[in-house]
Amino acid sequence: MDCLSFRRSILADPGSNDDAIVEHADGCKHCRDFRADIRRLDASIIQAIKIPVPESLPAKILLRQSNRPRRASGWRWAIAIAACCVVAIGIGLRSETAESPAQWLGAVKRYVDRSGISTDPAAQIAHRDLNEILNRIGVHMDESIGTVTAAIPCRIGNRAGAHLVITGDGGPVTVLIMPEADLPQIIEFKTAKSTGVIAPCPRGSIAIVGGATAPINSIKSKVEKAISFI
Amino acid sequence: MWDKKSRFTMLVEALSPDLYRYAYWLVGDQDIAEDLVQETYMRAWRSLDSLREAGAAKAWLITTLRRENARRFSRKSLERVDVDVDTLEATIGSDDKLEVRALHQALRDLSTDYRDPLLLQVIGGFNIREIAEEMNLSTGAVTTRLFRARQKLRAALDGERDSEVSK
Ligand SMILES: [Zn+2]
């Protein structure tokens, strides 16, 4: 292999470990340097390609799948695996880890704006399945919570949480459980499509978000009564 | 043995970020990319039983996404969209290196003939033979495209460095 074909091969496949490539690199410092240069270029390309991914994307896909007409109850394993994968998806996400109240507020708004989740109001998450999801983040919900139409593990502010949908009289309300959101006080907010409140709990916080007519406060009290921490 | 739903959840959690990035650079629009990824997973759910090896999952999903995208074009005969760097800029941290920004622009400027095989290689982990199969090209043609793609990106980056030095 000559220098020209070596460089051509490296530009096409910088990771190549073909014998001819290895052999040439061993004997030619110029080409070795060239290869190091192109591998650095590839590292930069990979960085450039890694655009931020909407945090709500996995939850949306899972919700959409679980809202298909046929009901499945394979959550037990799904949740165990999802928990294992949390670390994996955390890597490479550029979303900021929320710390301050302002960052948490931003994270909730972003999550809600991007999620736009619609659920089948007739769907009903079995209470046991709901708690399997919640137990993973150290939370338990008693039966007084009533009908939950969606429950998905999610990440908000780059931290583990859960996304529930509870359908009240004024339409579906999104409930975000965020055990790591330590906030000093209640925050009320509005986005383009919704109004909401983030309220501190004995551990972390919950966010209740819905349309203009959604019964935010009654759902908030309901969740506060039903929730406990393991 | 994992059941279907748990395998699916694992595929979503582990691979949807890369799939989204692949889709974004393929179609150049964040919303379309998100739709495509969702459609791809819905289709994947329906044929999940045909996926035998977990290690082949990413390539399988990317192939499914490419088909889904081709369907989108045949449905609507849309113009291919340019990667919209302006909206992307808003989502990129200001601490990003100039190099990354220059590469964004250079990736955008690459014609899809060059960008496509590069994405399959860099995001999808496809080898040259697999890219050739996926794109219906000879391995020689793929090699040439990959070689030119990196040449162009490298030149763009060098140009950026030179302009920084001369400032
Ligand atoms: Zn040489």
Side-chain angles (χ1 to χ4, degrees):
Chain A
M1 177 172 271
D2 60 15
C3 293
L4 204 66
S5 49
F6 177 92
R7 290 175 184 216
R8 194 181 145 89
S9 301
I10 286 299
L11 277 165
D13 184 6
S16 172
N17 274 322
D18 282 357
D19 291 346
I21 293 280
V22 174
E23 198 182 315
H24 185 93
D26 284 348
C28 178
K29 183 178 185 305
H30 281 306
C31 283
R32 234 177 10 251
D33 291 347
F34 178 83
R35 183 175 64 182
D37 203 29
I38 297 304
R39 285 182 175 171
R40 270 194 299 276
L41 172 70
D42 252 40
S44 300
I45 293 172
I46 288 167
Q47 275 309 306
I49 281 174
K50 280 195 175 168
I51 54 155
V53 178
E55 270 186 293
S56 58
L57 181 62
K60 266 201 240 181
I61 299 166
L62 293 175
L63 256 184
R64 206 169 140 186
Q65 193 282 321
S66 66
N67 279 337
R68 292 163 61 80
R70 179 210 50 80
R71 302 292 307 157
S73 67
W75 276 110
R76 192 186 304 265
W77 277 101
I79 302 316
I81 292 161
C84 297
C85 291
V86 161
V87 178
I89 51 169
I91 298 165
L93 283 184
R94 304 169 53 112
S95 48
E96 235 179 306
T97 302
E99 306 274 359
S100 69
Q103 284 170 333
W104 276 107
L105 177 60
V108 167
K109 282 182 174 174
R110 266 198 307 281
Y111 184 88
V112 171
D113 279 347
R114 296 289 302 180
S115 68
I117 284 161
S118 61
T119 62
D120 171 9
Q124 190 169 340
I125 304 292
H127 195 69
R128 193 189 51 118
D129 291 342
L130 169 67
N131 274 313
E132 282 202 30
I133 291 168
L134 293 176
N135 290 354
R136 293 280 154 188
I137 53 170
V139 172
H140 179 86
M141 202 71 84
D142 71 34
E143 304 226 359
S144 70
I145 192 67
T147 303
V148 175
T149 54
I152 292 291
C154 66
R155 292 187 71 78
I156 304 160
N158 211 13
R159 294 172 192 265
H163 178 164
L164 315 182
V165 178
I166 297 176
T167 304
D169 293 336
V173 173
T174 294
V175 176
L176 305 178
I177 314 284
M178 306 175 289
E180 296 186 60
D182 287 319
L183 300 179
Q185 64 190 49
I186 290 183
I187 304 173
E188 290 178 350
F189 66 93
K190 276 191 199 306
T191 74
K193 289 176 236 161
S194 47
T195 64
V197 58
I198 307 177
C201 286
R203 190 193 306 150
S205 303
I206 52 171
I208 319 286
V209 190
T213 61
I216 303 284
N217 282 317
S218 73
I219 300 276
K220 173 173 164 282
S221 324
K222 204 173 180 180
V223 174
E224 283 171 341
K225 281 194 196 103
I227 199 168
S228 57
F229 296 88
I230 306 162
Chain B
M1 194 56 194
W2 292 342
D3 64 15
K4 185 175 176 181
K5 178 113 194 181
S6 49
R7 289 173 72 204
F8 183 76
T9 303
M10 186 168 65
L11 291 182
V12 172
E13 300 282 18
L15 299 178
S16 62
D18 268 354
L19 209 60
Y20 172 82
R21 292 181 180 121
Y22 178 79
Y24 172 78
W25 287 105
L26 188 69
V27 302
D29 179 282
Q30 291 165 302
D31 293 330
I32 298 173
E34 210 176 314
D35 282 350
L36 262 181
V37 172
Q38 289 197 31
E39 287 303 327
T40 299
Y41 273 105
M42 291 311 110
R43 205 163 278 277
W45 169 262
R46 293 196 285 275
S47 52
L48 195 59
D49 295 334
S50 69
L51 176 68
R52 292 269 160 259
E53 284 173 71
K58 196 201 257 184
W60 179 70
L61 285 167
I62 283 182
T63 302
T64 307
L65 188 142
R66 290 170 60 82
R67 285 203 203 110
E68 204 53 50
N69 189 44
R71 253 183 226 109
R72 185 175 71 87
F73 276 100
S74 64
R75 267 202 308 270
K76 294 182 182 168
S77 69
L78 292 169
E79 289 295 310
R80 197 177 267 269
V81 203
D82 268 340
V83 171
D84 185 356
V85 166
D86 293 340
T87 63
L88 188 62
E89 288 291 313
T91 65
I92 298 168
S94 55
D95 59 329
D96 264 315
K97 284 194 246 159
L98 254 116
E99 193 168 83
V100 169
R101 286 170 180 273
L103 274 171
H104 273 151
Q105 186 61 48
L107 278 163
R108 179 201 187 191
D109 292 344
L110 273 188
S111 82
T112 51
D113 284 353
Y114 293 145
R115 188 166 58 212
D116 207 5
L118 188 69
L119 293 174
L120 286 172
Q121 188 182 47
V122 175
I123 301 183
F126 286 63
N127 64 31
I128 289 174
R129 186 183 47 76
E130 289 162 340
I131 298 170
E133 276 169 25
E134 187 64 44
M135 296 185 67
N136 244 330
L137 293 169
S138 68
T139 53
V142 171
T143 303
T144 303
R145 289 186 187 193
L146 287 168
F147 155 82
R148 296 222 173 109
R150 283 198 177 80
Q151 262 187 334
K152 283 171 192 284
L153 293 179
R154 192 171 181 234
L157 216 50
D158 287 348
E160 180 64 31
R161 286 197 193 108
D162 292 348
S163 72
E164 274 305 291
V165 171
S166 63
K167 265 180 202 166

